[in-house]
C-alpha cells in the first residue's frame, strides 16, 4: 500500500514539474503574438528592399521564422509546466489580454512610424563619440 502511495505521489510530482505539452506550447506562442513579432521584423526589413525583392525575401525568411518558432516552443516547453502553459493560454484568451495585445500591436505600429526619427537621434549620439 505504501509503495502504491509513494509511486502515485512521484508520478504526480513528475507530471506537475515536467515539461509542457508542445502542442499546447505552440498554441501559447501563437496567442502571445511572439510569432507575429518575427513576421513584423521581416516586414520592416523588407520595406528597405526594392518592391521586386520583397516577396522573395519573405519566402527566404519563412524557414528562419519557422526555426525561431520551434526554438521558442522548445524553450517554453522545457521551462514551463503543463499547468503554467494552460494558465497562460487561459490568460491570453481573456478580454484583458486581448486588449493588451491590441495596445501592444498599436504601439509597435506607432514605434515603427517614429523609428526613423529615433534612428537619426541615435546616429547623432554615435557621431558625438566617434569624433
Amino acid at each position: 500500500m505504501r509503495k502504491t502511495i509513494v509511486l502515485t505521489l512521484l508520478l504526480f510530482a513528475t507530471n506537475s514539474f515536467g515539461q509542457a505539452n508542445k502542442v499546447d506550447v505552440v498554441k501559447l506562442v501563437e496567442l502571445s503574438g511572439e510569432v507575429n513579432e518575427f513576421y513584423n521584423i521581416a516586414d520592416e526589413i523588407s520595406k528597405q528592399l526594392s518592391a521586386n525583392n520583397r516577396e522573395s525575401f519573405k519566402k527566404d525568411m519563412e524557414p528562419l521564422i519557422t526555426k525561431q518558432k520551434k526554438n521558442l516552443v522548445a524553450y517554453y516547453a522545457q521551462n514551463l509546466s503543463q499547468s503554467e502553459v494552460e494558465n497562460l493560454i487561459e490568460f491570453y484568451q481573456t478580454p484583458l489580454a486581448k486588449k493588451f495585445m491590441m495596445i501592444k500591436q498599436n504601439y509597435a505600429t506607432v514605434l515603427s512610424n517614429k523609428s526613423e526619427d529615433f534612428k537619426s537621434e541615435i546616429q547623432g549620439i554615435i557621431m558625438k563619440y566617434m569624433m
Side-chain angles (χ1 to χ4, degrees):
M1 180 67 174
R2 281 187 184 171
K3 288 181 182 180
T4 305
I5 292 172
V6 170
L7 183 60
T8 303
L9 289 174
L10 283 173
L11 286 174
F12 176 74
T14 302
N15 286 338
S16 65
F17 295 111
Q19 294 184 346
N21 177 330
K22 288 191 179 184
V23 172
D24 290 335
V25 176
V26 168
K27 184 176 181 179
L28 170 63
V29 167
E30 289 171 356
L31 285 170
S32 72
E34 291 181 85
V35 174
N36 288 338
E37 289 179 21
F38 298 144
Y39 285 105
N40 291 341
I41 291 168
D43 286 341
E44 280 300 310
I45 294 170
S46 73
K47 289 177 184 176
Q48 299 173 17
L49 302 173
S50 69
N52 295 338
N53 290 330
R54 286 182 187 154
E55 289 306 312
S56 295
F57 172 77
K58 288 180 181 179
K59 278 185 182 179
D60 288 344
M61 286 295 295
E62 195 63 42
L64 181 60
I65 291 171
T66 300
K67 179 182 172 185
Q68 286 301 108
K69 180 180 175 182
K70 285 180 183 178
N71 290 339
L72 190 60
V73 167
Y75 179 77
Y76 283 167
Q78 182 180 0
N79 291 288
L80 294 171
S81 70
Q82 182 64 28
S83 174
E84 290 168 329
V85 169
E86 289 168 358
N87 288 338
L88 286 166
I89 288 171
E90 188 176 317
F91 167 73
Y92 277 112
Q93 293 174 332
T94 65
L96 175 62
K98 289 176 183 177
K99 180 178 181 180
F100 173 72
M101 296 303 292
M102 182 184 70
I103 290 169
K104 184 177 170 184
Q105 180 59 42
N106 288 342
Y107 180 73
T109 302
V110 168
L111 186 61
S112 71
N113 292 339
K114 293 184 178 185
S115 66
E116 292 304 316
D117 293 337
F118 183 66
K119 288 177 187 175
S120 64
E121 289 175 16
I122 290 173
Q123 287 174 345
I125 293 172
I126 291 171
M127 293 305 290
K128 175 181 170 183
Y129 291 98
M130 293 185 80
M131 299 200 150

